């Protein structure tokens, strides 16, 4: 059943992810398509509190589909965690007549939105935008594909120099507590191992694997390390490993924030476009306090309780494949 939403506010929050602009464009254009007014809120919850709210039109989001980052800017807001901050934010939205919200961000964004919905009953929907792919309820988050491609491109380049010098590289990738970027970029980049938070590999097992390679004439090796690995980051692993190693000259590369930048891939642009339209249509059709997701290529709406405090389980098939291919 259609509800009375007439003015939609949209914002990006948390870490930026490639494809956020494509999602924003889709939200703005779908809103206008359905004859709704649409307002951009700058710097996430911070701009809601500081009343940085601008009216957007179809042309305001022209030429942003292919751009990384977010033209609305983003922030991780401490003030929004306070009751006073949220009250101020609500007053500002009310002043502009905003009666529906679309947030583009990760789990922190959705948690804030849920609290806001509970307190003020403002219809709201979250679009998952994070490179980490760590949200339950969706097979993919916006930005994950692009950042993994970026990691793979970097790994390929490191391989050239690793081979030329017979070196072992520990390459650290982002993902917070999720191993999605690490396991996928490890397989795609031909790493001998991907160290991920979801798997409990021991230092001995890793050492034996690399040692075997050394003995069977593997002259160079790449190990991808998820930043959230329980065995430590790339620096720590390299240090531990160098105490026992007889074969390799060891180097470390931490890819860091370069994984967040750049033009979104075709996949992220299409995903963002689908999710942006779904968010607006969901809001108009009475969905609230939900996150848009994609499961088996079908758009779904997930309740807050089905997303937060649930892990996006790593695909165990990927772990199996990585093991078979890294002999
Ligand atoms: O959530 C996205 C992410 O890039 C994580 O992979 C990383 O751990 C974190 O954000 C870094 O946050 P910041 O940019 O605030 O340092």
């Amino acid at each position: 059943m259609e509800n009375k939403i007439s003015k939609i506010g949209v914002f990006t929050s948390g870490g930026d992810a490639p494809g956020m602009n494509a999602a924003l464009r889709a939200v703005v254009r779908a809103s206008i398509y359905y004859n709704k007014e649409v307002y951009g809120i700058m710097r996430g919850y911070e701009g809601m509190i500081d009343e940085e709210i601008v009216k957007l039109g179809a042309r305001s989001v022209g030429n942003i589909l292919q751009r990384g980052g977010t033209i609305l800017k983003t922030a991780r807001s401490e003030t929004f965690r306070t009751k006073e901050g949220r009250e101020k934010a609500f007053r500002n939205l009310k002043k502009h007549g905003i009666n529906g919200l679309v947030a583009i961000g990760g789990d922190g964004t959705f948690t804030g939105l849920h609290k806001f919905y509970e307190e003020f009953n403002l219809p709201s929907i979250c679009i998952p935008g994070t490179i980490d792919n760590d949200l339950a309820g969706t097979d993919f988050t916006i930005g994950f594909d692009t950042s993994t491609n970026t990691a793979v491109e970097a790994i390929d380049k490191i391989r050239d120099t690793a081979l030329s010098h017979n070196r072992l590289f520990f390459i650290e990738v982002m993902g917070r507590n999720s191993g999605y970027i690490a396991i996928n970029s490890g397989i795609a980049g031909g790493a001998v191992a991907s160290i991920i938070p979801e798997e409990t590999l021991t230092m001995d097992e890793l050492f034996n694997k690399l040692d075997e390679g050394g003995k069977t004439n593997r002259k160079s090796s790449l190990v991808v390390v998820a930043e959230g690995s329980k065995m430590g980051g790339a620096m720590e692993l390299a240090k531990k490993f160098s105490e026992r190693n007889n074969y390799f000259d060891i180097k470390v590369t931490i890819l860091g924030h370069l994984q967040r930048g750049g033009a979104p891939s075709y996949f992220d642009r299409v995903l963002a476009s689908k999710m942006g339209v779904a968010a607006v249509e969901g809001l108009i059709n009475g969905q609230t306090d939900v996150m848009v997701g994609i499961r088996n290529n079908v758009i779904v709406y997930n309740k807050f309780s089905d997303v937060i405090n649930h892990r996006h389980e790593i695909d165990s098939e990927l772990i199996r494949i990585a093991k078979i291919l890294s002999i």
Side-chain angles (χ1 to χ4, degrees):
M1 200 186 53
E2 220 173 279
N3 62 17
K4 295 277 179 296
I5 284 169
S6 54
K7 295 188 182 184
I8 295 176
V10 55
F11 61 99
T12 50
S13 171
D16 60 286
M20 278 184 163
N21 281 327
L24 168 69
R25 171 180 177 269
V27 170
V28 170
R29 294 207 170 158
S31 299
I32 293 167
Y33 180 85
Y34 288 111
N35 299 314
K36 311 295 173 192
E37 284 184 27
V38 59
Y39 292 82
I41 300 160
M42 303 300 295
R43 298 189 302 115
Y45 294 116
E46 288 286 293
M48 220 182 264
I49 293 164
D50 295 341
E51 208 189 336
E52 291 174 46
I53 301 174
V54 285
K55 186 148 188 230
L56 297 173
R59 298 286 82 78
S60 327
V61 288
N63 201 27
I64 66 166
L65 175 69
Q66 76 285 12
R67 283 166 59 189
T70 158
I71 62 159
L72 289 183
K73 300 194 182 283
T74 185
R76 302 191 199 273
S77 174
E78 282 306 315
T79 323
F80 196 76
R81 291 178 195 272
T82 66
K83 180 99 173 131
E84 300 74 51
R86 292 192 296 276
E87 278 169 354
K88 192 158 180 238
F90 183 67
R91 280 198 299 278
N92 288 335
L93 294 178
K94 238 178 121 185
K95 207 197 278 184
H96 288 264
I98 292 170
N99 49 18
L101 273 183
V102 178
I104 307 167
D107 56 350
T109 306
F110 195 16
T111 302
L113 196 68
H114 172 68
K115 185 119 192 90
F116 200 57
Y117 173 70
E118 281 191 327
E119 286 172 349
F120 303 104
N121 206 26
L122 185 67
S124 38
I125 287 200
C126 188
I127 295 176
T130 165
I131 64 166
D132 300 338
N133 205 29
D134 58 348
L135 289 163
T138 188
D139 294 339
F140 300 106
T141 57
I142 297 166
F144 162 66
D145 182 71
T146 306
S147 64
T148 307
N149 280 323
T150 302
V152 172
E153 202 183 320
I155 291 168
D156 287 349
K157 288 182 174 156
I158 293 167
R159 177 181 289 283
D160 289 344
T161 177
L163 272 170
S164 305
H165 285 268
N166 290 349
R167 280 175 170 162
L168 163 62
F169 270 83
F170 287 90
I171 305 165
E172 187 173 301
V173 298
M174 274 187 170
R176 210 178 283 273
N177 298 316
S178 159
Y180 264 97
I181 297 177
I183 191 80
N184 282 287
S185 63
I187 291 174
V192 68
S194 296
I195 312 298
I196 58 172
E198 295 85 347
E199 203 194 10
T200 46
L201 195 73
T202 64
M203 194 61 204
D204 280 342
E205 283 165 339
L206 177 64
F207 183 81
N208 290 339
K209 190 171 204 38
L210 292 168
D211 197 43
E212 262 166 42
K215 285 178 186 150
T216 56
N217 216 18
R218 192 196 283 275
K219 293 278 188 275
S220 67
S221 280
L222 307 179
V223 176
V224 175
V225 186
E227 64 176 348
S229 138
K230 296 193 180 72
M231 284 168 71
M235 279 291 192
E236 212 178 321
L237 276 177
K239 191 165 173 290
K240 282 186 199 159
F241 194 79
S242 60
E243 287 158 13
R244 302 166 64 171
N245 150 68
N246 293 319
Y247 303 102
F248 297 109
D249 179 16
I250 298 173
K251 296 282 171 184
V252 172
T253 305
I254 297 175
L255 297 185
H257 286 80
L258 77 83
Q259 292 158 99
R260 288 237 296 257
S265 63
Y266 116 81
F267 182 88
D268 277 327
R269 295 181 202 193
V270 174
L271 181 68
S273 302
K274 282 182 182 172
M275 287 183 165
V277 170
V280 172
E281 289 179 342
L283 211 50
I284 292 171
N285 291 321
Q287 293 280 357
T288 185
D289 198 25
V290 295
M291 183 193 82
V292 178
I294 193 149
R295 304 300 297 268
N296 302 319
N297 215 21
V298 175
I299 288 287
V300 291
Y301 298 94
N302 301 278
K303 285 190 289 183
F304 178 80
S305 54
D306 292 338
V307 175
I308 301 299
N309 300 327
H310 289 259
R311 273 196 86 91
H312 183 192
E313 296 297 339
I314 205 91
D315 182 352
S316 54
E317 186 60 4
L318 290 176
I319 298 178
R320 197 179 75 83
I321 287 166
K323 280 207 178 106
I324 292 175
L325 298 182
S326 66
I327 53 170

